[in-house]
Amino acid sequence: MTTREFDGVRLERVREFVWEIPREGDMRVPARVLASEALLEQIGDDKTLQQLKNATHLPGMTGQAICMPDGHQGYGFPVGGVGATDADHGCISPGAVGYDINCLPGDTDVRLSFGRRLPLETLRDRFENEEAAVATGEEVLSSDIRLFTESGEKPVYELETATGRQIEATGDHQFETPDGMVRVEDLSPSDTVYTHPFGGLEHEDPEAFTVLSEADFADENPQIRRVLKDRGLLPLRSTDDEFNRLLKIIGFLLGDGSYGGEGQTWFYGDPEELEEIRDDVRAIGFTPSKIYERDRSHDIDGNTFDRTAYSFKTTSRALRRVFVELGVPEGPKVSSGFSTPEYLGQLTDWQRALFYSAYFGAEMNAPAAQHDKTLYCPKVSQTRTVDTEAAGRAFFEDMAAFLDGIGIETNEIEAFETDSNSSEPTVRLRLGIKNGSENLIRFFSRVGYRYHPEKQRQAMVAIQYLRAKEREISRREAIAAEAKALADGGTDVSEIAERFGINDRFVERSVWSGRDSRPRPGGDFPGFDEFRAETDVRPDGAVATKLEAIRDAGTKPVYDIGVTHDAHTFLANGFVVSNCGVRMMKTNLTYADIQGREEELVEALFANVPTGLGGGGVVQGDMDTVEAVLDRGVDWAVEEGWAVPADLEHCEDEGRRPDADPSAVSKKAKDRGKNQLGSLGSGNHFLEVQRVTDIYRDDVADAYGLEPDQIVVLIHCGSRGLGHQTCTDYLRRIEKRHGDLLATLPDKELAAAPAGSELAEEYYGAMCACINFAWVNRQLVMHRTRQVFERVFDRSWESMEMDLLYDVAHNIAKKETHTVGVDPQGRPVGGGEAADGEDRELFVHRKGATRAFPAGHPEVPAAYRDVGQPIIIPGSMGAGSYVLRGGEESMNLTFGSTAHGAGRLMSRTQAKQEFWGETVQEELREQEHVYVKAQSGATVAEEAPGVYKDVDEVVRVSDALGIGDRVARTYPVCNIKG
């Protein structure tokens, strides 16, 4: 048996074009990939296979989870994925249907691992090699970034908190609040959001050099070298993640660590901080001990008290030698003469911050109030013998120089003679951070206290306090300046005080006495201890903060990332933030009728069919219109004169889902949809005039009304913002209500509602209503296209026989009856291939897949029942498209499904790097005689022919397996895009 493996996912070849991921662990069913060798290589190049494997965990999953030949990575469930769940005992998953991606402007700072930050846009070329900081509620962790998306220009809003922190985001982007994730559009000033004030330092690529080599261990036992080599620590390079972790450990050991016997290294601290260090020890390949606790009695100046001491140790001689080589002395620190490790000067600022912040976590005092509204200067100190005082001063001088280089001022180094029990006189050296508000904010937010979560939490509160204090002082400064101007104009002091709600004494000092310094906060401004007691700070350091303003910020290019961690959050500008169908119309025109008029036609279509992001449609509807469309589908369009009865007869489900429940669709979704009814949207949505180039099955083509050289029109679009909003709404509701089910799934993006639950019923009704909306949307675009053809060719659309061939949905979960096998308990376990099966009602999830019912199936429209349901497979602008018919094997292999297009091969970001839109347009026009019109060159680049898989190969697999049989091939004449 032939096997293949991609990123740890193993596949076995069942037969030609059929690959199976065997059932293992908690998988409920196996998974299958339908692909040729060439397509499998492309499918295995991203997270598609892992997502497919994850989908098998959905409750009630039946048969196999299936990936079509056009499959590629999506959110949660792969695009091109099909999965059937039992409608009585399974679930329905919005994530397995599809949803939208939320966005932030490109200059938004994203916090990364190791205390770094980068503007979001710059992650485009490096996201696969980066880890983002994820706030879980309990801690801040690092998570791989799995996706980077670029969504063109969108309207954005600026949010500002009461402490002056700002961020811009699209209206549908979600921010974490004490009540969960909330969209910007649902937030109001005075609402509370979580911010994480620590920002870290701008990322710089480290200078590559070897920190430790085998030569540094030449005198050691060869076993030590082998241990270090096996763990990737020898050689140790400045660019290694292990080195970054070691920088933190070394910084801590110089404060609160020591060596013991038999290769022991001891770490002392509170359990919470020790757990973080243990995580890093494990990450570099070693096993830490458990955390020990010991009750100890202390007597200081006659005061006796008991305290529990906590510690853990490592016992690797090899690891201890690494610590020594990196600068942690083996003798007593007070007399060892250690100073700054030489290699530190060659490192980036963010790497040096790892070292110093861990030292500060061990040695520096936590933020505390010196006076009511003034904080102490944070300090670190060391005791040195007189002989090693110079080394200690050098250590602090290097520290001060580093801090100064990143904008943090320090006080002069202080020295104090100490009483000591040692045989040598000692000196206490001390270095402090200047305690001006802005300086402290820079220190706490750029460096802070690593390995000491409690100190770091207090630092987050201190940042919030100092920012609030600065805003209050700035407000009083502005009042003072305005008060002086009013007094100079003759306004009485008491009247000025009343106008600003401030005391007379403040106004008098502002007007007459003058000030040598900035005003102090008012008497009603809280002290630090009061502020700290009233501030909600989470274990991960996120602080609850009031919003002060939400403003329109214009239209900007926007981006987003997706992380692998289940929390699905990341830190952006310090905020905790958290992602169709097709129809074909025939004509009796031939390619000869179009030639010479392509440019006229494409310009007319572009001018009359709304495209692009945002609002604008053929119909400017009100809420009653949207309600009627959601309820009645294309029946509404017939009633309003936008369709004819024959359109119903050639549409899936006759253009109406009777299970639709408009009341289950939120007002926000309806508001988004009412101005988009009859529009293409953006991305891969398009309207394309095509000519039929090949016929493969004459009898079926005749039944479909297709012949060589005929002109047809392909329309690809969906339910626009209404559908995206609906899916997002239900994902969030399901995550909250069915968190117990979510906890059993390997990916939060698969969030599902149990079959029969209230939310499952509501979501199904809402989704069916969205399908109705999508059918009407495409119907209106088709009707407008008919009108454009009438004007361009000066004849009626009826005389040009512009009739609907078929309309089929792509992103959908439908209740359908299929034959499945059952286990002894009567639960569905087999697929369509199972012998002696029985009919079961299933939720068949098709995400970027097409229904493909064969001849004779009762749900195929009467006009096509004898030959099978039409299937429309769009290709790229330079490769053409296909018309297929439902194959005889589709019910056995794929729950009556096949591919829905060529499938992306390249991300939109990569496409824009590889292709130039104007060049693509020119080459298509000059070489292929294809005329393309779009909102921007970037849109054309994103959809360039080289961006997609080989549609010929996708269709070849479908045809060979008998799930979708080739009928005809078409080729573009002209194309419009959003």
Side-chain angles (χ1 to χ4, degrees):
M1 176 179 288
T2 302
T3 62
R4 298 292 306 276
E5 185 169 322
F6 297 89
D7 198 21
V9 179
R10 183 174 60 87
L11 300 99
E12 298 176 354
R13 186 178 183 273
V14 177
R15 60 179 180 274
E16 187 175 21
F17 304 138
V18 180
W19 301 83
E20 182 162 290
I21 302 173
R23 183 179 175 185
E24 63 181 18
D26 293 329
M27 293 171 64
R28 297 177 185 270
V29 294
R32 283 192 172 179
V33 181
L34 310 182
S36 62
E37 290 273 3
L39 291 172
L40 184 64
E41 288 288 341
Q42 296 167 346
I43 290 170
D45 198 37
D46 57 24
K47 300 292 184 183
T48 302
L49 298 177
Q50 186 60 56
Q51 290 182 337
L52 184 68
K53 188 174 179 180
N54 291 344
T56 66
H57 293 71
L58 284 169
M61 185 65 80
T62 300
Q64 304 94 19
I66 305 161
C67 177
M68 294 298 163
D70 59 336
H72 58 93
Q73 179 176 331
Y75 268 90
F77 201 85
V79 179
V82 174
T85 57
D86 186 80
D88 292 327
H89 308 292
C91 67
I92 186 168
S93 172
V97 174
Y99 56 99
D100 200 11
I101 299 169
N102 309 310
C103 303
L104 303 164
D107 59 357
T108 306
D109 274 338
V110 175
R111 186 169 150 196
L112 304 174
S113 59
F114 300 119
R116 302 168 296 135
R117 66 174 188 269
L118 272 177
L120 175 56
E121 184 178 10
T122 64
L123 293 174
R124 174 194 289 115
D125 302 323
R126 60 186 302 142
F127 75 92
E128 292 174 323
N129 300 315
E130 283 291 1
E131 293 184 332
V134 173
T136 70
E138 294 299 319
E139 56 189 334
V140 176
L141 300 174
S142 296
S143 171
D144 289 338
I145 302 174
R146 65 178 174 186
L147 283 176
F148 178 92
T149 63
E150 189 169 353
S151 302
E153 293 206 349
K154 288 187 179 181
V156 296
Y157 299 88
E158 180 185 70
L159 285 70
E160 183 172 0
T161 69
T163 55
R165 185 175 288 278
Q166 297 176 339
I167 190 173
E168 294 177 349
T170 55
D172 51 2
H173 206 97
Q174 299 187 67
F175 285 71
E176 190 164 13
T177 75
D179 296 322
M181 286 291 179
V182 178
R183 292 180 299 272
V184 171
E185 294 169 337
D186 294 329
L187 290 170
S188 302
S190 79
D191 284 347
T192 298
V193 297
Y194 277 114
T195 64
H196 204 287
F198 182 81
L201 293 169
E202 189 82 11
H203 171 80
E204 308 167 63
D205 288 330
E207 173 192 342
F209 65 92
T210 298
V211 182
L212 296 178
S213 68
E214 286 196 56
D216 295 305
F217 297 84
D219 296 333
E220 298 292 341
N221 186 314
Q223 177 64 22
I224 287 180
R225 294 196 293 274
R226 277 197 299 272
V227 167
L228 297 179
K229 280 182 171 182
D230 289 345
R231 287 160 175 76
L233 298 179
L234 204 58
L236 181 67
R237 298 178 179 86
S238 59
T239 53
D240 294 339
D241 277 0
E242 292 83 357
F243 176 59
N244 295 328
R245 295 181 190 278
L246 283 165
L247 283 170
K248 292 186 286 179
I249 296 173
I250 296 304
F252 182 89
L253 284 172
L254 287 175
D256 280 341
S258 68
Y259 294 129
E262 297 298 323
Q264 295 176 357
T265 306
W266 285 90
F267 301 78
Y268 306 94
D270 293 330
E272 193 178 17
E273 63 183 303
L274 294 180
E275 285 293 356
E276 289 193 7
I277 305 171
R278 291 174 80 239
D279 286 343
D280 274 339
V281 169
R282 281 189 288 263
I284 60 175
F286 294 90
T287 302
S289 74
K290 68 177 185 179
I291 294 178
Y292 304 102
E293 59 179 277
R294 176 184 174 190
D295 293 328
R296 304 185 66 175
S297 297
H298 299 268
D299 186 344
I300 299 179
D301 297 331
N303 295 316
T304 302
F305 61 94
D306 294 328
R307 178 175 176 270
T308 301
Y310 299 92
S311 61
F312 80 89
K313 66 182 177 180
T314 60
T315 57
S316 167
R317 292 175 56 223
L319 181 58
R320 174 166 167 169
R321 290 312 306 162
V322 169
F323 294 152
V324 172
E325 292 296 330
L326 289 178
V328 181
E330 289 196 281
K333 292 174 193 170
V334 66
S335 59
S336 68
F338 81 89
S339 193
T340 310
E342 290 185 10
Y343 55 81
L344 211 65
Q346 294 179 254
L347 303 182
T348 62
D349 286 340
W350 63 263
Q351 287 178 304
R352 288 192 283 172
L354 295 174
F355 171 84
Y356 284 119
S357 61
Y359 180 78
F360 295 150
E363 292 295 300
M364 183 177 278
N365 58 297
Q370 180 179 12
H371 303 298
D372 184 33
K373 298 179 177 69
T374 304
L375 299 189
Y376 274 112
C377 158
K379 301 180 179 69
V380 284
S381 59
Q382 285 186 356
T383 299
R384 298 285 188 134
T385 64
V386 172
D387 290 342
T388 61
E389 177 184 355
R393 281 188 176 275
F395 183 83
F396 278 156
E397 286 167 357
D398 291 338
M399 181 186 294
F402 160 70
L403 293 170
D404 182 67
I406 59 173
I408 299 166
E409 297 181 86
T410 57
N411 296 313
E412 294 294 325
I413 298 170
E414 300 173 292
F416 308 91
E417 290 186 5
T418 65
D419 295 328
S420 173
N421 293 326
S422 69
S423 58
E424 301 179 70
T426 57
V427 175
R428 190 75 172 163
L429 300 174
R430 188 167 67 187
L431 179 68
I433 310 297
K434 287 189 176 180
N435 67 349
S437 291
E438 292 294 342
N439 194 55
L440 289 179
I441 289 171
R442 287 192 291 271
F443 173 72
F444 293 139
S445 64
R446 296 178 186 179
V447 182
Y449 309 88
R450 276 187 180 81
Y451 286 156
H452 204 304
E454 179 55 32
K455 288 182 183 177
Q456 188 71 345
R457 284 191 288 269
Q458 294 305 317
M460 298 305 97
V461 177
I463 293 170
Q464 296 296 90
Y465 179 75
L466 293 168
R467 282 180 173 154
K469 178 180 171 183
E470 281 299 299
R471 283 172 71 85
E472 170 66 5
I473 291 172
S474 296
R475 184 185 74 86
R476 289 168 69 84
E477 281 181 320
I479 292 173
E482 195 166 346
K484 190 171 190 324
L486 288 170
D488 289 345
T491 305
D492 185 72
V493 166
S494 59
E495 183 180 341
I496 295 172
E498 184 176 354
R499 175 182 298 190
F500 292 111
I502 204 161
N503 62 62
D504 289 358
R505 176 61 183 151
F506 178 84
V507 175
E508 290 170 357
R509 287 198 63 197
S510 302
V511 172
W512 296 314
S513 303
R515 284 190 176 84
D516 297 330
S517 60
R518 303 174 71 199
R520 296 176 181 174
D524 57 349
F525 187 80
F528 178 64
D529 289 337
E530 179 186 354
F531 182 91
R532 181 168 54 184
E534 294 176 353
T535 298
D536 173 16
V537 56
R538 296 192 317 196
D540 64 3
V543 181
T545 311
K546 291 283 188 184
L547 285 175
E548 189 168 90
I550 302 175
R551 299 178 281 263
D552 284 333
T555 300
K556 297 184 178 182
V558 289
Y559 312 84
D560 199 13
I561 59 172
V563 298
T564 58
H565 193 275
D566 288 343
H568 290 284
T569 67
F570 62 96
L571 297 172
N573 277 14
F575 289 78
V576 184
V577 301
S578 20
N579 110 18
C580 61
V582 64
R583 69 168 45 195
M584 179 175 282
M585 177 173 57
K586 303 175 289 185
T587 78
N588 61 16
L589 299 175
T590 66
Y591 186 40
D593 295 319
I594 298 286
Q595 284 181 298
R597 308 189 70 173
E598 296 96 338
E599 190 163 2
E600 176 188 4
L601 182 59
V602 78
E603 293 288 348
L605 287 169
F606 192 76
N608 289 279
V609 177
T611 62
L613 294 163
V618 170
V619 172
Q620 297 302 309
D622 55 19
M623 197 59 75
D624 289 340
T625 299
V626 174
E627 293 277 356
V629 168
L630 292 170
D631 183 38
R632 302 201 300 279
V634 185
D635 282 345
W636 170 89
V638 173
E639 295 163 10
E640 297 296 323
W642 297 100
V644 295
D647 294 332
L648 297 176
E649 297 166 9
H650 296 86
C651 186
E652 181 180 351
D653 296 332
E654 296 186 341
R656 181 184 184 186
R657 291 295 300 165
D659 296 325
D661 180 5
S663 69
V665 179
S666 70
K667 181 179 182 298
K668 180 175 291 294
K670 293 169 183 174
D671 284 338
R672 291 185 66 181
K674 68 183 181 182
N675 295 322
Q676 296 181 335
L677 199 51
S679 60
L680 285 178
S682 61
N684 66 339
H685 293 153
F686 61 86
L687 184 155
E688 189 168 85
V689 179
Q690 304 174 330
R691 58 189 172 99
V692 178
T693 59
D694 300 277
I695 298 292
Y696 303 101
R697 286 175 172 83
D698 291 334
D699 58 336
V700 182
D702 185 59
Y704 290 173
L706 296 175
E707 58 187 37
D709 222 31
Q710 178 184 7
I711 293 297
V712 296
V713 179
L714 190 62
I715 297 166
H716 181 209
C717 59
S719 53
R720 298 296 321 273
L722 179 140
H724 291 162
Q725 184 66 51
T726 299
C727 195
T728 302
D729 289 343
Y730 279 93
L731 275 172
R732 300 291 84 83
R733 290 178 63 190
I734 288 170
E735 286 171 1
K736 284 181 123 177
R737 192 175 304 180
H738 297 293
D740 53 342
L741 170 56
L742 181 60
T744 69
L745 299 175
D747 189 341
K748 183 178 180 180
E749 301 295 345
L750 290 172
S757 68
E758 180 183 359
L759 265 185
E761 295 300 320
E762 286 186 29
Y763 172 65
Y764 190 69
M767 183 191 61
C768 288
C770 292
I771 296 167
N772 285 346
F773 187 96
W775 277 324
V776 172
N777 188 45
R778 291 191 288 274
Q779 179 67 43
L780 293 176
V781 171
M782 187 177 82
H783 189 82
R784 177 58 60 85
T785 302
R786 287 168 167 166
Q787 294 174 329
V788 169
F789 270 67
E790 285 182 328
R791 288 196 292 272
V792 171
F793 296 101
D794 195 23
R795 66 187 91 162
S796 69
W797 70 263
E798 292 90 347
S799 69
M800 289 181 281
E801 298 178 358
M802 300 185 73
D803 301 321
L804 179 62
L805 171 64
Y806 198 61
D807 184 306
V808 63
H810 280 170
N811 288 3
I812 193 170
K814 294 180 73 173
K815 284 183 182 178
E816 295 173 359
T817 300
H818 290 266
T819 302
V820 298
V822 294
D823 66 10
Q825 286 73 44
R827 296 173 300 190
V829 295
E833 294 179 310
D836 301 323
E838 65 179 41
D839 289 344
R840 285 292 183 97
E841 189 174 48
L842 307 174
F843 284 120
V844 181
H845 298 74
R846 297 185 179 97
K847 180 175 181 177
T850 302
R851 194 169 78 170
F853 286 175
H857 195 288
E859 291 190 46
V860 176
Y864 304 130
R865 197 163 296 156
D866 290 341
V867 294
Q869 171 208 313
I871 302 160
I872 303 159
I873 308 288
S876 70
M877 294 180 292
S881 301
Y882 281 87
V883 178
L884 283 61
R885 61 94 174 259
E888 292 297 329
E889 293 299 313
S890 68
M891 304 304 290
N892 295 329
L893 296 179
T894 60
F895 299 101
S897 312
T898 191
H900 86 307
R904 289 196 77 91
L905 184 61
M906 190 181 296
S907 70
R908 298 185 184 281
T909 300
Q910 185 181 354
K912 284 188 283 192
Q913 295 169 344
E914 297 282 339
F915 300 102
W916 186 253
E918 287 76 6
T919 303
V920 173
Q921 282 177 290
E922 290 175 6
E923 290 177 351
L924 285 170
R925 180 170 177 171
E926 294 173 5
Q927 299 174 20
E928 307 294 339
H929 306 292
V930 178
Y931 291 72
V932 178
K933 182 81 173 178
Q935 290 281 356
S936 70
T939 299
V940 178
E942 289 175 0
E943 300 300 311
V947 168
Y948 287 89
K949 296 181 174 73
D950 183 351
V951 70
D952 297 334
E953 186 73 355
V954 170
V955 170
R956 183 173 79 91
V957 172
S958 178
D959 187 76
L961 289 173
I963 58 176
D965 305 330
R966 290 190 307 175
V967 175
R969 187 175 187 272
T970 63
Y971 195 77
V973 175
C974 58
N975 178 299
I976 69 168
K977 288 183 174 295

